[in-house]
Amino acid sequence: MVGRRRSAVLDVGLGLVSALECGLEGVGFAEKAALPVPLGVVFGLLVGSVLVVRRRWPIAVVLVSIAVAPAEMGFLMGIVGLYTLAASDVPRRITVVLAGMSTTAVFVVTVVSLRQDIARADLGTSPWYVPGMALLLTLGLNAPPLLLGLYIGARRRLMESLRERADSLEQELSLLADRAEQQAQWARQEERTRIAREMHDVVAHRVSLMVVHAAAPRRWP
């Protein structure tokens, strides 16, 4: 119960930070798209708040982060979304596809942004400079949360498997202990029966001897 409460508090906190970040980034998006600034801020707040449901719908969070990548918003949402997706129980093929889509989106946006910055600064660069830098930035942004999520997910599944095995072993040991107790009770019962039978035979023999001894004087005066 305490763990769930902490997780809920963490998710709400991340959602608030993400909403604030996207809201601020919505100002620049509104200016570039020639939209009213309040509209861009509201859009950013709504987009960023999606991070609250990251544990329940990690696929939706990653898809939203991919959709808003051209608007250059959702930095925190993209990182946390990839981590949550990789750490969840979503099939690996879906994780690979979504991670590839996210990486491609970030790469394209980074290439466009770098080219615009270089064009403004009027710098002469190699044709491979922008793609190379964009690739390094993209991998540096997406690879760490993805790998960390895969590690955490694998570790959690391993711990769950070990816990299930421990519970199964405990149940087997309990069954063996109950069976041993039943066998011990059966052995004690058998021993009591044997002792009672022997005592009955001994008593019967003694009584028979007593009857014979008591009857002997009557026969031989």
Side-chain angles (χ1 to χ4, degrees):
M1 187 65 179
V2 177
R4 291 182 180 179
R5 187 175 301 174
R6 290 178 180 176
S7 299
V9 172
L10 176 61
D11 292 344
V12 171
L14 288 174
L16 290 175
V17 174
S18 177
L20 179 61
E21 176 209 345
C22 292
L24 294 175
E25 292 169 345
V27 176
F29 169 70
E31 293 176 352
K32 292 179 180 179
L35 296 174
V37 173
L39 182 61
V41 173
V42 172
F43 175 73
L45 292 175
L46 292 176
V47 168
S49 62
V50 174
L51 197 58
V52 175
V53 297
R54 68 185 183 95
R55 296 180 191 270
R56 189 171 184 180
W57 295 307
I59 296 178
V61 173
V62 175
L63 288 176
V64 171
S65 68
I66 294 172
V68 299
E72 297 183 3
M73 63 171 60
F75 175 80
L76 178 63
M77 180 172 57
I79 293 177
V80 178
L82 278 179
Y83 165 79
T84 306
L85 178 67
S88 66
D89 295 328
V90 174
R92 284 290 164 259
R93 61 181 183 277
I94 298 179
T95 301
V96 170
V97 171
L98 291 178
M101 293 172 59
S102 177
T103 302
T104 303
V106 174
F107 176 75
V108 172
V109 171
T110 305
V111 168
V112 173
S113 179
L114 286 176
R115 285 181 176 174
Q116 290 176 350
D117 294 339
I118 291 175
R120 293 192 195 98
D122 195 15
L123 298 175
T125 60
S126 169
W128 297 100
Y129 174 78
V130 172
M133 287 298 299
L135 182 61
L136 289 176
L137 292 174
T138 301
L139 293 178
L141 181 65
N142 285 7
L146 186 63
L147 294 177
L148 180 61
L150 291 174
Y151 167 74
I152 295 298
R155 183 174 179 272
R156 186 184 67 247
R157 286 187 289 272
L158 176 61
M159 294 300 295
E160 291 176 354
S161 176
L162 292 176
R163 190 178 299 111
E164 291 177 357
R165 291 183 181 179
D167 293 340
S168 177
L169 180 60
E170 184 178 357
Q171 292 178 359
E172 291 180 1
L173 291 176
S174 177
L175 291 175
L176 290 175
D178 293 341
R179 188 175 300 174
E181 180 64 23
Q182 291 177 358
Q183 290 179 352
Q185 291 179 357
W186 177 81
R188 287 194 294 267
Q189 185 65 31
E190 288 293 321
E191 186 66 17
R192 292 193 188 100
T193 303
R194 185 185 64 81
I195 294 174
R197 188 181 299 113
E198 291 180 355
M199 290 181 63
H200 178 269
D201 294 340
V202 170
V203 171
H205 181 65
R206 294 292 178 85
V207 171
S208 298
L209 289 177
M210 290 174 61
V211 171
V212 170
H213 291 165
R218 297 179 183 179
R219 294 182 180 181
W220 305 95

